[in-house]
Amino acid sequence: MSLSRVRLEIDTAALRSNFAEIRRLSRSCRVTAVIKANAYGTGDLETGSILRSAGANRFAVADVVEAQRVSALGLPVQILGTLISPEECDEVVRNGFFAPVTGLVSARMLSAAAVRQQKSVPCQVKVDSGMGRFGMDTCAALSEIEEITRLPGLDIRGIYSHLSSAGTPENDYTLMQLKRFKELLFQLNKAGIFFEDVHLSASNGICFYPETCQAPFTMTRSGIIMYGCEKNHFEADNSLKSVLSLKSCLASVKRIRKGEGIGYGHTFLLPEDTLVGTVPAGYADGIPLALSNAGSVLIKGVRCPVIGRVCMDCTLVSLNDVPDAAPGDEVIYWGRSGEEEITPGDWAALKSTHVHDILCAIGNRVERRYL
């Protein structure tokens, strides 16, 4: 029996359904499942195992430490970011991870590690088509990539970049990035350099830019889209489902007099006698402070407003609209109850952030439950 007071429920059937839909949207491209940041808070090994059986061909992560964990799942592992030390390069070569090559400096460091170990390491060159982070500038990358391909120990398998503004269709900057990438690819092919893995499209690209899911592209990267919690993804032409629910329970219920203050700093004064419920989940569990006096939870199909400041370990809510509420009743932070639904996107809007931030903030003491 679990003693956890807060649980993140992962609907495995919905996750499998979403991945099947992503494979459909990706057309002839192979789909790499991105499970960095503990699979966006859902549990990398558990979620990865489900995605492996659903048809993922490869996993992608942010760094070497994540790659070490995910390698236990038995699929090839690709590191998407960059390598920053000889020690990281040694570990990548030792394990045969797909290595990012973001320029000559990282390429030489990786080549030296491969030569030391007398191995060949699979690599993908990363180019910057307009994100401004890691990678070679697409407008000047040709000569640098040509030099990289001559370094010993590097098995250059692919080329990739990342779209910065693909959350809506027909975005001019996204179309410019696509043009830059294709022009570089044409120049490389003309120079006799070809790649098995060619990918530009992550979750937004899969939804809104079908041209990134067909030749010359051979692969897509599926991340946040798998969980069905981005509003814009539902607006696209697909059949995605909500995967995640965050739940707790009422720990106490008591009536407090009109005019009394609630929570730290008394940021909320009760306008009437109020039935107040305490939920044993707070910002240490990933409940954002932005819900203070602004958000709500679902209890028995009714929206109950959050009152007072969210605490480290609990949240206070008004139960005046559910007068029969009692300790032990289920509290839904995200999910559906009756006709009502709260999503991670609703939290993101309150916090003026995006869904990735919400999911990655879910705390370690929250139980991940796979249904």
Side-chain angles (χ1 to χ4, degrees):
M1 178 180 176
S2 172
L3 297 178
S4 177
R5 297 179 173 192
V6 196
R7 65 187 186 274
L8 176 65
E9 294 182 351
I10 295 95
D11 183 335
T12 59
L15 180 60
R16 291 176 188 276
S17 175
N18 285 355
F19 198 75
E21 179 65 2
I22 293 161
R23 293 179 72 187
R24 184 189 71 81
L25 293 169
S26 296
R27 303 185 181 189
S28 61
C29 288
R30 289 169 280 112
V31 181
T32 289
V34 181
I35 54 174
K36 62 182 180 178
N38 196 29
Y40 297 80
T42 66
D44 51 7
L45 298 183
E46 297 84 357
T47 296
S49 179
I50 295 163
L51 295 169
R52 179 187 59 197
S53 65
N57 78 289
R58 185 182 302 172
F59 293 122
V61 295
D63 60 28
V64 178
V65 173
E66 290 184 340
Q68 289 171 323
R69 278 183 53 82
V70 170
S71 64
L73 292 168
L75 286 183
V77 181
Q78 177 170 352
I79 297 169
L80 292 174
T82 192
L83 301 177
I84 61 175
S85 71
E87 292 76 17
E88 285 190 344
C89 291
D90 284 335
E91 191 65 20
V92 166
V93 173
R94 187 175 299 115
N95 288 277
F97 299 144
F98 276 76
V101 174
T102 54
L104 267 173
V105 172
S106 67
R108 287 169 177 156
M109 189 166 54
L110 189 64
S111 173
V115 170
R116 280 195 302 273
Q117 296 185 40
Q118 298 182 320
K119 290 183 176 181
S120 177
V121 59
C123 304
Q124 296 195 356
V125 292
K126 183 168 190 176
V127 295
D128 181 9
S129 59
M131 187 73 171
R133 302 190 306 190
F134 304 123
M136 295 164 271
D137 187 339
T138 50
C139 299
L142 176 59
S143 59
E144 197 166 356
I145 293 173
E146 286 179 319
E147 187 169 349
I148 287 169
T149 62
R150 293 192 287 268
L151 292 173
L154 303 186
D155 179 11
I156 306 295
R157 304 269 190 91
I159 184 170
Y160 67 109
S161 189
H162 191 57
L163 299 171
S164 70
S165 309
T168 55
E170 298 302 317
N171 176 274
D172 288 342
Y173 195 81
T174 300
L175 295 174
M176 181 271 291
Q177 284 190 265
L178 180 59
K179 182 173 181 287
R180 284 178 176 175
F181 188 88
K182 283 186 172 181
E183 286 176 349
L184 173 61
L185 191 63
F186 175 78
Q187 293 171 358
L188 288 163
N189 291 168
K190 192 175 178 181
I193 300 173
F194 299 88
F195 305 94
E196 177 184 345
D197 298 326
V198 180
H199 49 112
L200 181 62
S201 189
S203 293
N204 284 334
I206 292 169
C207 276
F208 298 111
Y209 292 86
E211 58 266 51
T212 64
C213 301
Q214 59 194 37
F217 300 100
T218 64
M219 194 172 91
T220 63
R221 307 185 300 267
S222 172
I224 195 72
I225 190 177
M226 296 186 291
Y227 307 105
C229 54
E230 286 270 35
K231 181 180 178 181
N232 65 329
H233 292 164
F234 285 112
E235 293 169 349
D237 184 19
N238 59 53
S239 302
L240 295 177
K241 300 177 181 178
S242 295
V243 170
L244 305 176
S245 299
L246 185 64
K247 299 179 179 180
S248 185
C249 64
L250 285 173
S252 73
V253 174
K254 60 182 178 180
R255 187 165 295 280
I256 300 179
R257 294 184 303 275
K258 174 182 177 179
E260 291 288 331
I262 290 293
Y264 285 115
H266 283 183
T267 61
F268 188 85
L269 299 178
L270 297 177
E272 58 183 339
D273 288 355
T274 303
L275 194 64
V276 175
T278 301
V279 187
Y283 57 77
D285 304 291
I287 314 302
L289 282 168
L291 264 65
S292 303
N293 299 313
S296 58
V297 300
L298 299 179
I299 301 173
K300 297 185 176 184
V302 176
R303 283 184 178 262
C304 298
V306 174
I307 53 177
R309 186 183 300 166
V310 172
C311 308
M312 181 181 288
D313 307 308
C314 63
T315 308
L316 301 174
V317 298
S318 170
L319 301 174
N320 278 358
D321 292 331
V322 278
D324 59 339
D329 285 348
E330 182 177 74
V331 175
I332 298 176
Y333 280 99
W334 314 328
R336 180 175 291 278
S337 180
E339 298 299 314
E340 296 283 355
E341 183 178 20
I342 298 174
T343 70
D346 294 329
W347 281 17
L350 280 173
K351 195 178 175 184
S352 298
T353 185
H354 51 69
V355 169
H356 303 67
D357 179 26
I358 299 299
L359 297 191
C360 291
I362 298 301
N364 291 331
R365 68 187 183 187
V366 175
E367 177 192 2
R368 275 69 172 172
R369 188 176 296 180
Y370 305 87
L371 305 178

